[in-house]
Amino acid sequence: MTSLYLQRAFILVGTISSACLGNAQPQVWGYAGPIANTNDPFQFGAVWRCDLGADEVEKIIPGDTVQIGRFNGPASSGLVLASNGKLYGSASGPSPGQNGVIFCYDPVTDSLRITAALATPQYPASVSQQWQLTEGQPGVLFGFTAPDPNSTIFRYHTSNDSLALCVNLPNYIDGGGGTMFRFLGGPFFKATSDKLFVIYESQRVAWLNPLNNAFGLSAYLEASDFLQGRFPNADFIESDTKLYSTSARGGPGGVDSNNLDTTRGVIYSYDLQTDAYTKLLDFNHQIKQPSAGMTDGGAGLFYGVARGADPWTSNGVIYAYDPSNNTLQLVQDLSDPAYDMDRGIPWFNLLRTSNGKLYGTYQRGIFEYDPVLDTLTLCAPLQSADNNGQVNGLGVTGKMIEICRKPNYKPRSTTNFNVCAGSHFFYDQLNVNATSVVWRRNGSVVPEQTSQLLEFTSITETDEGAWTCTMTNECGTTEPPGITITVNAGSSTTSTISGDTLLCGTGDLAVLSGNNGGTWNTGATTATLGVPQPGNFFVWNTQTCGLSMSNSIHVTHLDSAVAPPQLFYFGSASEFVGAQICPESPSFIIGDNSGGPWHNQPTGLWQDGSSGPSFTVQDTGHYYITNTNTCNSDTSNIEHVLYPDPPTPVAFFRDAFGQPADNLICLGDSVLVYSAAGLGYSVLQDGIYVGYMNEFQPFVANMAGTYDMIAYACPTITSDTVPFTVIVNNLPPAPSQILPDGSLLTGC
């Protein structure tokens, strides 16, 4: 099979402010495991989310040692969006025990709860859930546990958070008398028949009927010589009564002299009607050893990720498979340095999203591939390095899912408010993603209230009643619980608060003041309030007529400016040694001020106050980037661009055999003049240019005379002239000499 390497394009996403907190709410969500950095706040991994096409991730559920445990990346691998609109996943569970938990996350209220433990007296199943859960029936999730004391398939009911055993996979004794555990090689796949399919022990397909827990196994998928495929992946695609996927190994090849498996894997199909396994195509040296199955990318093509030509230096490829004619195409090489993807090969299959694009993860971040335009975009980083080179962020990332996130709100414990007439009053739903908001009072629309913040600068009796809110975006509509406002006449005391509204980095404290005998919304009753976290803050004053509310202050968090990366050069700068420029030479481009979280930096100002993504150098001087925000100012490294100094010319002489010689030549002969440092020199005879020489291309002086050597740094910047003289020797021929190599040398 001949691979077709398609033309590629590269796009680097620009800065999108608060990208994951905007109004575009189709999002990708995923797991990421921990990294080996005990100082990182996400050292136990996290669940993250990001808007489609954005360049920043929001880490929303950090792992811990108290409640949820570690997110083990590939071990638990991902989330499932259930039919009740909530997300379910699993983690290792808190220490001690590490018995695994199932959790539920509501993307509308941004609330998390632990719903089940996987090791209980009622269900002594296992240490942890493996792979992600699958909704096999409405409200019923199916999963698989690791072997302890044996492997099981279980069902979890979202309506009452209950667990039930489906299938107990018994252990067996191998030929050596050891106990072997059964395992499943991936998450369940729900077919159109409603049966759940999965890879069983890397040898065959297993199926589960969710209605009656019936469990069955297919014939073995691999031949004894591995030519038909070895270690089949799941991540099935269903088409024409067949399941399509890949195997990580098998096919042509074998074991080399170092006992390493050199097979490249295959693409296979499994016929749901005939229980027949068929190898369709062998991977080749450019596309090999895929760790995941394929994804239907539209237009009749299946897309996948695999290793590239060199499995030890390549960072993977994206390929396209056409099942109609059984052909394979290499469409993107992820090891290209231009893509900045030098931190790991993708381990999980691609995700096709509602915008028609394919998203993938690798150790460093998230990428987007457009199969129509054949363009690769670096979307968002999951790791960064601080100024000391310490890697922060998240580790290996698992499978992703797409959700369309409806308008969110923060639930409140109080929904009935008795307030004093004339008081300032507001009620904030704390929404970040609604595109339109409608408030109703006693069922009637109030047209002047159009934001998630219901606010009255001086509330009156005409404002009391039952208030409800409807928030809408492209994903749907959310109706938070309503509130009831009662307005009472009477005199009241209010508080007017003020203070710092900015937290600069971790450990900073914003101080608010102005509490006139009331209670802060944090519960404090002090006159001043030290705020360590961002948020909205206000004061309630309790009056005879009810409550009066102060003005609200929003405290924001702003990290210290991050110094830009090391400046580097573009274009003709590579022609110079270091940062050097000739007065009459073309200008060159220096630095990278393109900004964006992918670079772990904001954009800044160049030394002359300009703000472009790069700077055109046309003269000597100092060049640098300065980032400034309200908290701090950081400057990048400073590059000194200068006119170069020419090298000092040094000459020495060789004869025709490369042996050291003096500056004497015989009549009709010549002497070879070499430079000392491999640099170029012009040679002039009596002031006229006669040649050019360097260490490897010597100048041949074939006539007597006075010569000058001149080294050039630039056409107008030259070294001092170093003269040498070639003299004709008119002495009679010297006796012949026999050289060590047997050649005959005669002199004059």
Side-chain angles (χ1 to χ4, degrees):
M1 165 61 62
T2 301
S3 297
L4 178 62
Y5 193 89
L6 300 182
Q7 182 180 4
R8 296 171 295 140
F10 171 63
I11 299 175
L12 183 62
V13 176
T15 302
I16 302 177
S17 177
S18 300
C20 286
L21 300 178
N23 290 329
Q25 284 305 291
Q27 296 177 324
V28 290
W29 291 55
Y31 272 26
I35 60 175
N37 179 2
T38 57
N39 295 321
D40 191 277
F42 297 95
Q43 59 179 292
F44 301 108
V47 171
W48 55 264
R49 65 188 175 200
C50 185
D51 290 354
L52 295 187
D55 62 354
E56 185 179 2
V57 298
E58 181 186 5
K59 301 160 187 169
I60 56 171
I61 309 177
D64 55 42
T65 59
V66 178
Q67 182 183 19
I68 201 166
R70 286 176 174 263
F71 294 102
N72 292 324
S76 41
S77 84
L79 300 164
V80 59
L81 178 63
S83 53
N84 62 2
K86 296 180 174 61
L87 294 159
Y88 292 84
S90 61
S92 67
S95 300
Q98 298 291 311
N99 288 315
V101 295
I102 294 176
F103 62 86
C104 172
Y105 188 83
D106 188 339
V108 172
T109 60
D110 285 314
S111 57
L112 170 73
R113 63 187 182 92
I114 306 300
T115 61
L118 289 176
T120 65
Q122 295 78 22
Y123 186 67
S126 177
V127 171
S128 63
Q129 142 76 5
Q130 298 292 292
W131 308 103
Q132 76 240 53
L133 301 165
T134 301
E135 188 168 31
Q137 294 176 286
V140 183
L141 309 181
F142 290 80
F144 162 73
T145 61
D148 185 19
N150 55 265
S151 304
T152 64
I153 298 173
F154 66 87
R155 64 172 64 214
Y156 165 79
H157 294 265
T158 61
S159 59
N160 56 13
D161 300 327
S162 64
L163 289 166
L165 178 67
C166 295
V167 179
N168 188 7
L169 303 177
N171 305 329
Y172 66 97
I173 306 300
D174 66 6
T179 300
M180 304 298 291
F181 300 102
R182 310 287 184 182
F183 64 92
L184 303 182
F188 285 106
F189 171 81
K190 186 176 181 180
T192 53
S193 64
D194 289 334
K195 284 186 177 180
L196 305 179
F197 291 86
V198 68
I199 291 295
Y200 182 82
E201 293 193 322
S202 294
Q203 293 179 321
R204 50 178 134 177
V205 173
W207 55 265
L208 175 72
N209 188 333
L211 296 177
N212 56 14
N213 292 340
F215 182 77
L217 297 172
S218 73
Y220 282 92
L221 298 188
E222 54 185 40
S224 59
D225 60 3
F226 301 144
L227 287 176
Q228 300 304 308
R230 186 184 183 201
F231 303 139
N233 296 308
D235 309 311
F236 296 118
I237 296 173
E238 183 178 5
S239 179
D240 298 329
T241 72
K242 294 184 178 66
L243 301 181
Y244 291 84
S245 192
T246 66
S247 72
R249 297 284 187 168
V255 177
D256 64 13
S257 59
N258 295 319
N259 201 33
L260 296 176
D261 189 346
T262 62
T263 57
R264 299 165 180 162
V266 307
I267 295 176
Y268 71 86
S269 68
Y270 170 71
D271 195 308
L272 296 171
Q273 295 180 342
T274 63
D275 189 31
Y277 168 87
T278 303
K279 182 182 79 169
L280 301 172
L281 182 142
D282 295 310
F283 286 105
N284 54 48
H285 74 285
Q286 289 182 298
I287 312 169
K288 59 185 175 184
Q289 300 169 0
S291 58
M294 299 178 291
T295 299
D296 189 344
L301 295 177
F302 300 162
Y303 290 85
V305 289
R307 292 180 181 268
D310 185 342
W312 307 118
T313 61
S314 169
N315 291 306
V317 297
I318 301 175
Y319 65 87
Y321 171 70
D322 189 340
S324 66
N325 55 21
N326 200 33
T327 57
L328 188 67
Q329 295 178 344
L330 171 62
V331 296
Q332 290 285 349
D333 186 348
L334 303 182
S335 63
D336 190 317
Y339 297 147
D340 194 25
M341 298 180 66
D342 57 349
R343 296 294 295 277
I345 296 170
W347 284 98
F348 293 93
N349 62 317
L350 300 168
L351 169 71
R352 187 187 183 194
T353 55
S354 56
N355 61 7
K357 299 177 182 179
L358 300 171
Y359 285 77
T361 61
Y362 68 115
Q363 183 175 345
R364 186 169 175 179
I366 307 164
F367 63 87
E368 174 192 274
Y369 174 68
D370 188 329
V372 176
L373 301 178
D374 189 37
T375 53
L376 185 68
T377 304
L378 303 180
C379 292
L382 290 168
Q383 290 183 1
S384 63
D386 60 23
N387 293 337
N388 297 319
Q390 175 67 60
V391 175
N392 300 299
L394 300 172
V396 176
T397 303
K399 295 170 68 68
M400 295 184 293
I401 64 170
E402 180 185 8
I403 73 167
C404 201
R405 188 181 180 213
K406 296 192 298 183
N408 71 306
Y409 68 94
K410 295 290 186 182
R412 307 298 178 83
S413 58
T414 301
T415 57
N416 292 295
F417 299 93
N418 279 284
V419 298
C420 298
S423 171
H424 181 215
F425 177 86
F426 61 87
Y427 184 85
D428 194 348
Q429 300 284 9
L430 296 177
N431 170 267
V432 297
N433 65 344
T435 54
S436 65
V437 178
V438 175
W439 282 95
R440 290 177 173 83
R441 174 180 172 271
N442 297 330
S444 300
V445 174
V446 181
E448 61 268 23
Q449 298 286 351
T450 59
S451 116
Q452 83 278 358
L453 178 64
L454 178 66
E455 184 173 22
F456 306 94
T457 56
S458 180
I459 197 167
T460 67
E461 291 182 358
T462 59
D463 300 318
E464 68 178 6
W467 288 83
T468 57
C469 175
T470 301
M471 299 183 292
T472 304
N473 66 11
E474 61 186 301
C475 300
T477 298
T478 300
E479 294 187 10
I483 64 172
T484 300
I485 301 175
T486 302
V487 180
N488 303 306
S491 61
S492 64
T493 300
T494 60
S495 299
T496 302
I497 61 174
S498 61
D500 189 5
T501 60
L502 185 63
L503 293 170
C504 289
T506 304
D508 194 13
L509 196 70
V511 178
L512 306 181
S513 61
N515 180 12
N516 185 14
T519 302
W520 296 92
N521 60 314
T522 63
T525 57
T526 54
T528 61
L529 180 69
V531 177
Q533 299 291 334
N536 290 319
F537 299 91
F538 53 90
V539 173
W540 286 107
N541 285 88
T542 304
Q543 319 288 323
T544 303
C545 54
L547 298 174
S548 64
M549 182 186 292
S550 74
N551 58 307
S552 174
I553 289 182
H554 180 66
V555 177
T556 58
H557 182 278
L558 184 63
D559 289 328
S560 298
V562 179
Q566 185 82 9
L567 294 183
F568 59 94
Y569 309 103
F570 303 88
S572 60
S574 60
E575 300 171 7
F576 302 95
V577 178
Q580 299 179 349
I581 186 172
C582 289
E584 67 287 333
S585 70
S587 59
F588 63 92
I589 307 299
I590 186 174
D592 181 10
N593 190 31
S594 54
W598 185 261
H599 295 280
N600 192 31
Q601 85 203 49
T603 56
L605 297 179
W606 292 96
Q607 70 291 330
D608 66 346
S610 63
S611 59
S614 59
F615 193 85
T616 301
V617 176
Q618 297 175 314
D619 201 351
T620 60
H622 292 91
Y623 297 86
Y624 52 89
I625 303 170
T626 300
N627 293 124
T628 302
N629 60 22
T630 307
C631 292
N632 205 349
S633 178
D634 290 329
T635 300
S636 73
N637 60 302
I638 298 176
E639 291 290 354
H640 181 201
V641 178
L642 71 162
Y643 296 139
D645 294 326
T648 301
V650 178
F652 58 94
F653 300 91
R654 299 286 185 184
D655 59 23
F657 296 94
Q659 301 299 314
D662 54 25
N663 60 348
L664 301 179
I665 64 174
C666 300
L667 289 174
D669 206 348
S670 61
V671 64
L672 306 180
V673 184
Y674 288 76
S675 64
L679 299 173
Y681 305 94
S682 293
V683 181
L684 289 74
Q685 183 184 21
D686 299 327
I688 300 174
Y689 175 82
V690 292
Y692 177 84
M693 67 182 193
N694 59 36
E695 185 176 4
F696 306 103
Q697 296 176 330
F699 170 72
V700 179
N702 53 17
M703 61 187 303
T706 299
Y707 295 82
D708 292 306
M709 294 172 60
I710 301 176
Y712 289 86
C714 296
T716 56
I717 301 178
T718 62
S719 68
D720 294 334
T721 299
V722 175
F724 64 90
T725 303
V726 176
I727 305 170
V728 174
N729 189 339
N730 294 317
L731 297 176
S736 300
Q737 300 180 30
I738 303 297
L739 297 177
D741 61 1
S743 59
L744 181 64
L745 176 65
T746 60
C748 56

